[in-house]
Amino acid sequence: MIFILQRPTKPITIAPDYAALCDLVAERIAALVREKPGAVLGLATGSTPLGVYDRLVSAAQDNGLDFSGVTCFNLDEYFPMSADSPHSYHHFMQQNLFRRIRCRRWFVPDGAPRSEAEVAQSCLEYEAAIREVGGIDLQLLGIGRSGHIGFNEPGSPPDSRTRLVSLHQKTREDAAASFGGLSAVPAQAVSMGIGTILEAREILLMASGAGKAEIVRAAWTGESAESLPASWVRSHPNARLYLDTAAAQAFS
Ligand code: GLP
């Protein structure tokens, strides 16, 4: 059964488990693509959205959902990181989504090793590319244990734009297994800013599992603050939190 929790300032959709959570989020994205074939999607990495991507691939392959007019922008990339590295988010998105569906264009911030000035220039170009296609219609977000969205760690201002950022210790620890050790995890990343994210016309913030329960409750019930970047999402007029019951347990 799907619950809609009304008590916090904004409603929360709670699905019984991860599979049902992914069904709901994928259905919302598919509905937008059907309604607006030239939609612009903002996409996230991490394990949380993987089930959503599987469902979108099935919708395209089995049910003819047409992504050929859709443009996608990802939130972030490690720095320094070559796009063709198996650790890159570019590679992650290619493997999990873009080699399986045909969309019009897809972008991931460029983490190629180079000077800070060159990175700053490519960040401006990323923002310009988003503006050129008319902005993001729907932004999908996960949440990190530090409370980050994209790689906007605590301390990120709400008007921040795409830029080079330093990663929180918890974020690097969470990535350590996939890099084969903490020392191999980059200390920096290129991330869309909170201001960039909040300009999306719709935001879906999804979280799964008990490990996210406390941070999600804090983000959705306290004051919006730089110390908890995901808390800014609540100030967006068209944002919705999607949880499974394990991630929602701290609300009860
Ligand atoms: C990374 C990404 C975030 C993502 C987070 C959570 O840090 N940069 O965008 O939300 O991981 O990952 P997971 O979904 O695996 O918990």
Side-chain angles (χ1 to χ4, degrees):
M1 194 202 291
I2 312 292
F3 287 92
I4 311 284
L5 199 64
Q6 298 283 4
R7 231 177 324 124
T9 47
K10 277 193 154 189
I12 303 171
T13 299
I14 303 170
D17 53 28
Y18 177 70
L21 172 66
C22 293
D23 286 344
L24 287 173
V25 172
E27 274 163 24
R28 174 60 207 132
I29 296 172
L32 173 69
V33 171
R34 279 192 295 269
E35 175 188 311
K36 186 173 179 183
V40 180
L41 301 178
L43 298 178
T45 52
S47 53
T48 310
L50 281 175
V52 174
Y53 298 153
D54 282 343
R55 283 154 180 78
L56 293 178
V57 169
S58 301
Q61 292 178 351
D62 307 334
N63 299 318
L65 184 63
D66 182 8
F67 283 89
S68 63
V70 171
T71 304
C72 300
F73 288 90
N74 259 77
L75 286 164
D76 46 18
E77 179 60 278
Y78 290 104
F79 178 85
M81 181 62 69
S82 308
D84 57 6
S85 161
H87 296 303
S88 76
Y89 281 166
H90 186 279
H91 179 80
F92 177 98
M93 291 307 297
Q94 191 168 42
Q95 291 303 308
N96 292 302
L97 190 63
F98 296 122
R99 73 179 170 87
R100 302 162 74 196
I101 63 166
R102 196 171 61 86
C103 70
R104 184 168 166 265
R105 290 191 75 183
W106 58 282
F107 299 83
V108 177
D110 191 348
R114 52 202 163 150
S115 74
E116 286 200 12
E118 286 166 329
V119 175
Q121 180 56 36
S122 83
C123 291
L124 289 175
E125 288 164 9
Y126 203 70
E127 293 272 340
I130 294 172
R131 276 196 307 277
E132 266 162 35
V133 295
I136 292 172
D137 290 301
L138 183 153
Q139 177 67 57
L140 178 62
L141 296 175
I143 181 170
R145 279 196 310 135
S146 65
H148 71 214
I149 47 174
F151 271 137
N152 292 284
E153 299 287 18
S156 302
D159 59 355
S160 48
R161 313 302 308 190
T162 304
R163 70 209 185 288
L164 192 60
V165 296
S166 294
L167 297 180
H168 194 281
Q169 179 67 10
K170 274 188 195 170
T171 303
R172 295 187 65 239
E173 285 167 10
D174 286 347
S178 65
F179 277 85
L182 185 59
S183 60
V185 181
Q188 290 179 294
V190 177
S191 180
M192 262 191 213
I194 297 187
T196 322
I197 291 169
L198 294 179
E199 280 173 7
R201 287 180 270 282
E202 177 178 356
I203 299 179
L204 313 184
L205 173 55
M206 69 181 294
S208 166
K212 297 287 174 69
E214 251 323 305
I215 197 74
V216 158
R217 188 200 55 77
W220 222 249
T221 55
E223 292 291 308
S224 291
E226 287 186 15
S227 56
L228 212 175
S231 65
W232 296 111
V233 177
R234 225 173 62 234
S235 67
H236 188 281
N238 192 16
R240 196 171 192 95
L241 183 58
Y242 286 84
L243 305 175
D244 58 16
T245 43
Q249 68 193 25
F251 284 99
S252 49

